[in-house]
């Protein structure tokens, strides 16, 4: 089993910054890819950024240049640095982990990010 706990969400004004963290515990077997997803009210969950075991990253087009995903494998922690936040970034942000190359994802409970204009 894999447990994921997000932290770092909050309320911020447009243009501000937040740093999300996701601590992973439980099974360390396997090579985990990790990512951040978000879901705004009335919208489907969407992938924001992900990172593989070697540090290769990919981003949702709307966050490129503003968000940075990183991981500390020794601490089993995933981060998302969010700068120049916009009201459209308001959502519940979820951390996910999956064995690279497989489909099954483990999910955290989420952390709320609210950006006021």
């Amino acid at each position: 089993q894999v447990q994921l706990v997000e932290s770092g969400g909050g309320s911020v004004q447009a243009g501000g910054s937040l740093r999300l963290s996701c601590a992973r515990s439980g099974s360390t077997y396997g090579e985990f890819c990790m990512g951040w997803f978000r879901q705004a009210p009335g919208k489907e969950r969407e992938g924001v950024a992900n990172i593989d075991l070697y540090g290769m990253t990919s981003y949702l087009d709307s966050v490129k240049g503003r968000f940075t995903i990183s991981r500390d494998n020794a601490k089993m922690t995933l981060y998302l640095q969010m700068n120049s936040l916009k009201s459209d970034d308001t959502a519940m942000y979820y951390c996910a982990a999956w064995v690279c190359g497989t489909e099954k994802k483990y999910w955290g409970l989420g952390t709320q990010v609210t950006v006021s204009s």
Side-chain angles (χ1 to χ4, degrees):
Q1 281 288 358
V2 174
Q3 292 83 43
L4 301 170
V5 179
E6 301 97 335
S7 61
S11 297
V12 65
Q13 289 193 333
S17 298
L18 285 173
R19 188 192 195 207
L20 306 184
S21 298
C22 172
R24 178 166 68 86
S25 61
S27 173
T28 58
Y29 178 77
E31 299 178 340
F32 287 94
C33 289
M34 298 189 73
W36 290 97
F37 294 73
R38 68 186 182 187
Q39 187 167 20
K43 296 186 178 180
E44 293 188 353
R45 188 175 297 189
E46 62 180 356
V48 175
N50 58 59
I51 185 168
D52 70 9
L53 195 64
Y54 307 102
M56 292 290 290
T57 60
S58 63
Y59 295 91
L60 183 69
D61 282 348
S62 62
V63 308
K64 286 180 180 177
R66 300 188 297 121
F67 291 10
T68 302
I69 188 171
S70 61
R71 64 190 294 168
D72 185 327
N73 289 332
K75 295 181 179 179
M76 294 201 295
T77 301
L78 179 73
Y79 304 98
L80 185 67
Q81 178 67 44
M82 305 186 294
N83 298 327
S84 301
L85 282 161
K86 305 175 181 179
S87 56
D88 287 348
D89 297 318
T90 294
M92 184 70 80
Y93 283 71
Y94 298 91
C95 170
W98 60 97
V99 176
C100 298
T102 67
E103 293 295 323
K104 175 181 170 59
K105 289 183 173 61
Y106 299 92
W107 295 94
L109 295 179
T111 186
Q112 178 68 39
V113 172
T114 302
V115 184
S116 58
S117 56

